[in-house]
Amino acid sequence: MNYEIVMDEHQKFIDENLKNFYGEHKHFVEWMDSRSLTSKRFKKRLIVIGEYRILSVKKGKVSISLNKNIHFYDIADIIVVEDTIEIRQKQVIKGDQIGILIKSKQKESLQMILKLLREKIRNITHGFPSTIQLRINANESYLLPIEEKVIGIADNFIETYKAQSSYKNNEPSTEVIRLVEKYVQDCCREFDLSKCPGFEGKSELNFQIDTVISSLNYNGYFNSIIINGNSNGGSSSSGGGGGGGGSGGSGGGGSGGSSAGVNQKGLVEKVGELLSSNCCVRKISIFNCKDDDQVLSTIGTSLIGNQFNLLQVIDLHSNHINQSTFQTFADGIETMTHNPLRYLNLSDCNLSSRSIEILFNSFSKNSKISTTLEYLNLSYSKFDDVGSISFTSWLAKIKDDNVLKFLYLTNCSLNLIIIGAQLRNLPLLRVLDISNNRLERTEIEELIAFIKNTRALESLNISNCSLNHDYFLYICNTLNKNEYIKHLDLNVSHNQISKSPSIFVSALEFLTMVNSLNLSHIPITYKTLIRVVDSIRIYCKNIRELILDACFSHSSDKSHDGIDFINELKQFLRERESLKSLSIGGDNSNYLSSKLVIPLIEYLTNENGTLEQLNIQYSHLGDSVMPYIANLLEHNSTLKSLSFDRNYFTINSFQTLLLSLQNNHTLLNIPFPSYDFEKNLITLPTAQKKSLLFSLLYRIQSILEENGGWRIPDPHFYPVPTSSSNNGGSNLQLLGGGGGGASGGSNLQLQQRPSSPTSSTSSSGFRSKSPTPVTTSYGSSAYSQQHYENLPLPPPPVDNYYNNNNNNYYQNESEGADDDYYNHQQQSSQQKYQNRATLSPTNRNQQQQQQQQQYQNRNQRIELTDSFVEAVDHLNDDENLD
């Protein structure tokens, strides 16, 4: 056989084998002498250098077969000795080094093999530490010059991802690549895998999550990893867990059911393995993974082993945690002395009292945690006495030096008798949430002692804590006496504090500092409600949000009492221009009837010009009320958000709503009416009618998007820290005691994330503050020079990338927006869409008058034009006569 020529059959065999691996094509093919490191005899082999692997093909007596298939990631060393190249693999079998020897008298061929291997391996191992980079033992004069290194976008992520896909023999997702390109285009460094098409299971767009994660092992671009196991296209905000049933209705864990088909197995474990090598990621947020036990041990092991990691934000809320692996995780927290832990969210993970004890024991052993930890959320854990004692021991140890500002302990079976005294050791605490914990008299006394001494409190959630009217009066009086509390968000919902109306109303007189007051799900008669609203109007002069959901216990009241309550509410709105948010939703039995809601809507239509958010959900209104809502939207230029689901609106109401929005340029948000939508979808008889329903809601959403952006504040959002040093400032910004912002995504949201009860919301997820766009500055993230040598990094992104209007697709967390921002959005929208068709019935007369005036003007122009033509013709005739 002639070994100087590569036959067509050989080429065909090579091509067929390379087709089995993604992205492979041959760069070099030649017959050479070769053998494995374990054999002794050289034989003729066809050496093939592909894009990601080297092949050795042998020609037998009968057929052609593949002798060696070595991926470039498996190559550890290359040694050149005279006319032989020794390629050593990383693997060792039974103590023997494995690899391949290639021998040739053609020096140029060996040099070309070396050149290709150096270029290809360098391209797919960008950022790898020197300890695992390719090592070459050869004279410099023997090596051919290679092309200048070009680093791809996102610190060469795409090339690394393709190589990892080839190594694991799966095709890379074009959607992942497209998403990364979008991130780079908008200077975003937070990688949210939940946003990538194909993350949802059972789809042709599915991709291997572990391949994407392994491609980030040494990546220097992304500094945040986010995975929402129950994404459903929703927001990937970092909240969860905190709060009680007082403001969120059910007071559940905030996770919901898992997304069908999503492979959640080992997600936390895989990200934990990533942390063992990555020295750029500062924030991990993996939540809503309840289909499989999530193992935390790899995170702990990585934190112990990688002393150069920059992790500062750990958000693992709403996951099903394997409790047996929690000890290793806590051991890792204990070793975080080189880099400050600022944020820890383990809410809704069903942590046992033993796990709580382990965690706080680790805190106690790491003295630096107290000087950096700002946010701690352990809601829906089981403290009992064991956990309460360990928590108390840690608080006692850090009393002289701590920066804890946000503490969420919802539904934790707390023993406040044990903990209460040590809460006074948190001088910077701004948010305290102990909702859904049954408090006895002694425990309430400890809470009151804390309120007396606090100097920074801005938000207090004591919903569903078994308070009575006497305790409520005691708490309100104590709040009033604390001169340091200037602005407060107070949530006392789901408590029986109205049994003595006089004491209840008297207590409200002390709440002069309240910005947001949540009294939802407290049964109150209309007569008492009149006194309540009157007291708030007189004494709460700076109130911005009032939540009265399901407060309407009117079984023994006469109808005129309800009207008197509405009149009192009108008076409140008239005098208190500070009020921007009003929630009067209902539930199955306690709600405002349509004859009470209609007068309020009429008042907002004709007189009020200050209210920005209104919630009338679950009021059983029916189609007869929608025309009044339509009039409101046509004439009110202040309202920015309106919630009205669960009112039995039919497709006719949505048609009326669409018509009313044609001239509205200020409404920004209508939470998707999922309940009414599903009811309509079931009852509509034909496919055409169902298609019309979809079309109506889509057109409504389009108009809202034209009007401007809307973002829902998220009290649990924590931005990626800019540096490892703690300068005393907090990254977590509090909006009226509620917290930072999360991107709201679509204005007409198909599925809202369950509202966090800690942020003073109604049962509909209704929120009070007008969001503001985030401006977050990121320092350039670099690997430790001790760990990674000669690492060229991409330039840091611009500081104000969150202000880019095109970021909404992927942006997970953004803080609120001020009025100037929305005014600018609305003015731009009005200029852009000023020619939107005027279809509203109430404006048809005005439209007809305008059309008649235009017609008259047109006739006048025609008459003038005709006169001008006649005059010109007359002059021309005179000239011709001359």
Side-chain angles (χ1 to χ4, degrees):
M1 179 179 176
N2 187 356
Y3 288 106
E4 300 297 326
I5 302 174
V6 180
M7 308 293 290
D8 289 343
E9 61 175 327
H10 302 147
Q11 296 281 11
K12 183 178 180 181
F13 176 82
I14 293 170
D15 291 340
E16 289 177 351
N17 274 272
L18 290 179
K19 284 180 181 178
N20 296 327
F21 309 100
Y22 166 79
E24 285 290 1
H25 52 274
K26 54 184 182 289
H27 296 280
F28 176 91
V29 180
E30 191 172 315
W31 285 104
M32 301 181 126
D33 295 325
S34 179
R35 70 172 177 85
S36 66
L37 295 184
T38 55
S39 63
K40 298 181 180 180
R41 182 180 172 186
F42 281 94
K43 295 183 180 180
K44 285 292 182 181
R45 298 288 185 262
L46 199 58
I47 302 300
V48 181
I49 306 297
E51 187 67 24
Y52 301 111
R53 63 191 71 239
I54 178 171
L55 303 181
S56 173
V57 179
K58 67 179 180 179
K59 177 69 172 69
K61 295 180 180 180
V62 179
S63 62
I64 306 172
S65 61
L66 189 62
N67 183 47
K68 285 284 185 180
N69 177 6
I70 304 174
H71 196 279
F72 293 160
Y73 276 143
D74 289 331
I75 299 177
D77 301 279
I78 297 179
I79 302 173
V80 180
V81 180
E82 297 181 352
D83 60 349
T84 305
I85 296 177
E86 178 181 344
I87 299 176
R88 294 182 179 180
Q89 295 179 237
K90 297 175 182 178
Q91 297 89 342
V92 176
I93 298 179
K94 296 181 179 180
D96 295 331
Q97 180 73 54
I98 63 173
I100 186 175
L101 290 171
I102 301 173
K103 185 176 182 181
S104 175
K105 295 180 180 179
Q106 301 294 327
K107 179 180 177 182
E108 294 79 6
S109 297
L110 295 177
Q111 287 179 318
M112 180 56 65
I113 291 176
L114 282 174
K115 180 177 183 295
L116 288 170
L117 290 177
R118 291 166 62 205
E119 288 179 343
K120 299 298 179 183
I121 295 177
R122 179 192 63 177
N123 190 40
I124 65 175
T125 58
H126 170 72
F128 285 33
S130 58
T131 54
I132 60 174
Q133 287 276 12
L134 174 67
R135 296 183 294 270
I136 298 179
N137 187 354
N139 292 326
E140 288 291 335
S141 59
Y142 191 86
L143 302 176
L144 296 177
I146 60 177
E147 297 179 0
E148 183 180 354
K149 182 177 181 179
V150 178
I151 301 175
I153 65 172
D155 200 29
N156 217 54
F157 170 84
I158 293 178
E159 294 304 320
T160 305
Y161 175 53
K162 291 179 178 179
Q164 288 285 348
S165 299
S166 172
Y167 185 66
K168 298 183 179 182
N169 199 21
N170 54 64
E171 185 174 350
S173 168
T174 57
E175 302 304 320
V176 171
I177 295 173
R178 184 177 290 113
L179 180 63
V180 171
E181 290 172 345
K182 175 66 175 173
Y183 283 147
V184 174
Q185 176 185 350
D186 297 313
C187 298
C188 177
R189 305 182 72 171
E190 295 190 4
F191 198 166
D192 186 355
L193 279 167
S194 319
K195 296 292 185 184
C196 184
F199 180 79
E200 297 296 333
K202 299 180 181 179
S203 168
E204 294 180 356
L205 297 178
N206 284 156
F207 58 90
Q208 296 294 327
I209 296 177
D210 58 334
T211 304
V212 179
I213 294 175
S214 60
S215 303
L216 295 168
N217 281 344
Y218 304 101
N219 185 269
Y221 181 80
F222 292 107
N223 56 18
S224 176
I225 309 298
I226 301 170
I227 302 176
N228 180 357
N230 184 29
S231 65
N232 288 325
S235 168
S236 55
S237 58
S238 60
S247 56
S250 63
S255 61
S258 62
S259 176
V262 174
N263 183 12
Q264 300 179 359
K265 185 174 183 180
L267 280 179
V268 175
E269 184 177 10
K270 293 166 186 172
V271 174
E273 293 171 355
L274 160 73
L275 295 175
S276 66
S277 54
N278 189 289
C279 294
C280 183
V281 170
R282 299 176 183 270
K283 172 182 176 179
I284 60 170
S285 182
I286 310 167
F287 51 98
N288 287 336
C289 299
K290 293 201 169 186
D291 282 357
D292 187 75
D293 276 0
Q294 299 300 321
V295 176
L296 299 183
S297 54
T298 55
I299 295 180
T301 302
S302 297
L303 293 176
I304 295 171
N306 182 4
Q307 292 297 306
F308 301 101
N309 75 81
L310 299 179
L311 190 64
Q312 295 174 270
V313 177
I314 301 177
D315 177 14
L316 301 174
H317 77 270
S318 303
N319 292 314
H320 197 287
I321 298 298
N322 187 325
Q323 303 290 326
S324 62
T325 64
F326 196 81
Q327 178 68 65
T328 308
F329 171 76
D331 292 341
I333 296 293
E334 182 181 334
T335 64
M336 294 181 71
T337 56
H338 60 286
N339 200 50
L341 179 66
R342 298 186 178 184
Y343 179 107
L344 180 61
N345 189 343
L346 295 173
S347 63
D348 195 25
C349 290
N350 295 319
L351 296 181
S352 64
S353 57
R354 173 57 181 161
S355 296
I356 296 296
E357 182 184 24
I358 292 172
L359 179 66
F360 285 114
N361 287 343
S362 298
F363 280 9
S364 298
K365 295 176 183 177
N366 185 347
S367 59
K368 288 193 174 182
I369 284 184
S370 64
T371 63
T372 60
L373 187 65
E374 299 177 356
Y375 176 104
L376 179 61
N377 192 338
L378 298 174
S379 298
Y380 300 94
S381 300
K382 189 177 181 180
F383 271 61
D384 292 332
D385 289 348
V386 174
S388 298
I389 291 172
S390 59
F391 181 41
T392 302
S393 299
W394 177 65
L395 291 178
K397 189 172 182 177
I398 66 173
K399 63 180 180 179
D400 297 326
D401 189 13
N402 72 83
V403 294
L404 191 63
K405 300 178 178 69
F406 307 89
L407 180 60
Y408 297 90
L409 300 174
T410 299
N411 196 12
C412 287
S413 302
L414 291 177
N415 188 332
L416 211 60
I417 298 176
I418 299 175
I419 297 174
Q422 297 303 329
L423 285 178
R424 305 169 211 170
N425 295 330
L426 303 175
L428 302 179
L429 193 64
R430 297 163 61 185
V431 176
L432 176 62
D433 182 351
I434 54 173
S435 57
N436 286 330
N437 289 289
R438 183 179 179 85
L439 302 182
E440 304 295 341
R441 179 180 180 84
T442 308
E443 295 173 300
I444 293 174
E445 291 174 352
E446 292 291 347
L447 173 63
I448 290 172
F450 161 76
I451 295 174
K452 284 181 180 178
N453 292 277
T454 183
R455 297 193 175 191
L457 190 65
E458 297 178 15
S459 177
L460 177 62
N461 190 337
I462 48 176
S463 63
N464 198 22
C465 286
S466 304
L467 300 181
N468 60 30
H469 49 272
D470 291 327
Y471 295 155
F472 180 57
L473 176 63
Y474 198 1
I475 291 172
C476 293
N477 187 25
T478 307
L479 287 169
N480 182 264
K481 291 180 179 178
N482 189 326
E483 61 182 7
Y484 296 99
I485 301 179
K486 303 296 184 182
H487 306 284
L488 180 69
D489 286 2
L490 180 62
N491 187 342
V492 291
S493 58
H494 287 269
N495 286 301
Q496 300 298 320
I497 57 179
S498 63
K499 290 185 177 180
S500 176
S502 298
I503 295 178
F504 178 45
V505 173
S506 298
L508 297 174
E509 297 176 2
F510 293 106
L511 298 179
T512 57
M513 79 300 295
V514 163
N515 276 347
S516 172
L517 181 59
N518 191 335
L519 300 175
S520 62
H521 296 273
I522 299 174
I524 310 173
T525 63
Y526 283 136
K527 288 183 178 180
T528 304
L529 268 175
I530 294 171
R531 298 174 61 190
V532 167
V533 173
D534 181 66
S535 181
I536 296 173
R537 174 178 59 84
I538 295 173
Y539 296 99
C540 303
K541 297 182 179 181
N542 297 314
I543 189 167
R544 291 178 55 89
E545 177 186 36
L546 178 60
I547 302 176
L548 299 173
D549 293 338
C551 286
F552 318 110
S553 177
H554 51 271
S555 57
S556 61
D557 285 347
K558 298 179 181 179
S559 59
H560 66 82
D561 292 330
I563 296 296
D564 291 342
F565 163 68
I566 295 298
N567 291 334
E568 182 64 37
L569 203 55
K570 292 178 186 178
Q571 182 69 16
F572 181 89
L573 292 168
R574 189 176 296 111
E575 295 186 14
R576 284 285 163 258
E577 295 184 355
S578 63
L579 187 71
K580 303 299 181 183
S581 173
L582 176 63
S583 182
I584 50 174
D587 59 16
N588 285 325
S589 56
N590 297 314
Y591 57 87
L592 290 177
S593 63
S594 58
K595 65 180 181 180
L596 299 181
V597 174
I598 290 174
L600 179 62
I601 294 177
E602 289 178 331
Y603 167 76
L604 296 174
T605 303
N606 301 317
E607 297 185 43
N608 183 265
T610 58
L611 193 69
E612 297 179 358
Q613 300 186 57
L614 176 65
N615 172 34
I616 52 173
Q617 291 195 22
Y618 224 141
S619 296
H620 309 263
L621 298 179
D623 284 345
S624 61
V625 180
M626 184 54 75
Y628 296 94
I629 296 176
N631 290 336
L632 169 66
L633 298 180
E634 287 172 357
H635 295 92
N636 187 299
S637 60
T638 308
L639 199 64
K640 296 178 181 178
S641 177
L642 177 63
S643 304
F644 54 72
D645 194 16
R646 289 181 175 268
N647 278 304
Y648 305 105
F649 290 139
T650 67
I651 190 172
N652 300 302
S653 290
F654 294 123
Q655 288 176 311
T656 303
L657 177 65
L658 177 61
L659 292 175
S660 69
L661 288 174
Q662 301 303 316
N663 275 339
N664 185 300
H665 298 276
T666 56
L667 189 69
L668 305 176
N669 178 52
I670 297 179
F672 188 81
S674 55
Y675 182 86
D676 288 344
F677 168 75
E678 292 174 0
K679 289 291 184 183
N680 278 275
L681 203 60
I682 293 173
T683 56
L684 289 175
T686 64
Q688 289 79 5
K689 290 289 186 181
K690 295 179 180 180
S691 177
L692 176 61
L693 178 63
F694 279 101
S695 176
L696 290 171
L697 293 175
Y698 173 76
R699 293 167 65 185
I700 291 171
Q701 178 182 4
S702 299
I703 291 175
L704 295 174
E705 290 176 350
E706 290 173 7
N707 288 346
W710 177 263
R711 288 169 175 83
I712 302 175
D714 178 12
H716 303 280
F717 166 66
Y718 198 97
V720 180
T722 57
S723 67
S724 60
S725 62
N726 184 28
N727 57 10
S730 172
N731 282 334
L732 189 54
Q733 300 299 323
L734 193 68
L735 296 181
S743 62
S746 170
N747 291 323
L748 188 63
Q749 300 161 10
L750 292 180
Q751 181 170 353
Q752 284 190 308
R753 180 181 158 275
S755 62
S756 173
T758 57
S759 57
S760 298
T761 64
S762 70
S763 59
S764 62
F766 180 73
R767 307 208 179 233
S768 64
K769 302 294 178 254
S770 298
T772 64
V774 136
T775 301
T776 305
S777 61
Y778 290 84
S780 58
S781 298
Y783 291 136
S784 168
Q785 292 300 320
Q786 303 177 28
H787 195 60
Y788 296 154
E789 299 174 358
N790 301 323
L791 177 61
L793 290 173
V798 294
D799 290 342
N800 62 342
Y801 71 81
Y802 273 121
N803 289 334
N804 190 322
N805 293 331
N806 296 324
N807 288 347
N808 290 339
Y809 171 71
Y810 60 82
Q811 186 174 332
N812 302 299
E813 320 294 354
S814 66
E815 299 176 348
D818 54 19
D819 294 337
D820 293 338
Y821 170 76
Y822 277 114
N823 292 336
H824 171 73
Q825 291 283 347
Q826 292 156 15
Q827 292 171 5
S828 301
S829 174
Q830 290 171 0
Q831 295 173 3
K832 185 175 180 181
Y833 300 101
Q834 60 184 351
N835 295 324
R836 187 190 294 165
T838 305
L839 301 178
S840 175
T842 61
N843 292 328
R844 286 176 180 170
N845 293 334
Q846 181 180 357
Q847 183 185 26
Q848 291 172 359
Q849 294 175 1
Q850 293 175 354
Q851 290 175 348
Q852 291 174 1
Q853 183 65 38
Q854 292 173 0
Y855 183 78
Q856 294 174 0
N857 294 339
R858 176 176 174 273
N859 290 338
Q860 292 176 3
R861 288 196 300 271
I862 292 174
E863 293 172 1
L864 291 172
T865 303
D866 292 339
S867 301
F868 177 78
V869 171
E870 291 174 2
V872 172
D873 290 339
H874 180 68
L875 290 175
N876 290 334
D877 292 338
D878 291 343
E879 290 175 0
N880 293 333
L881 290 174
D882 293 340

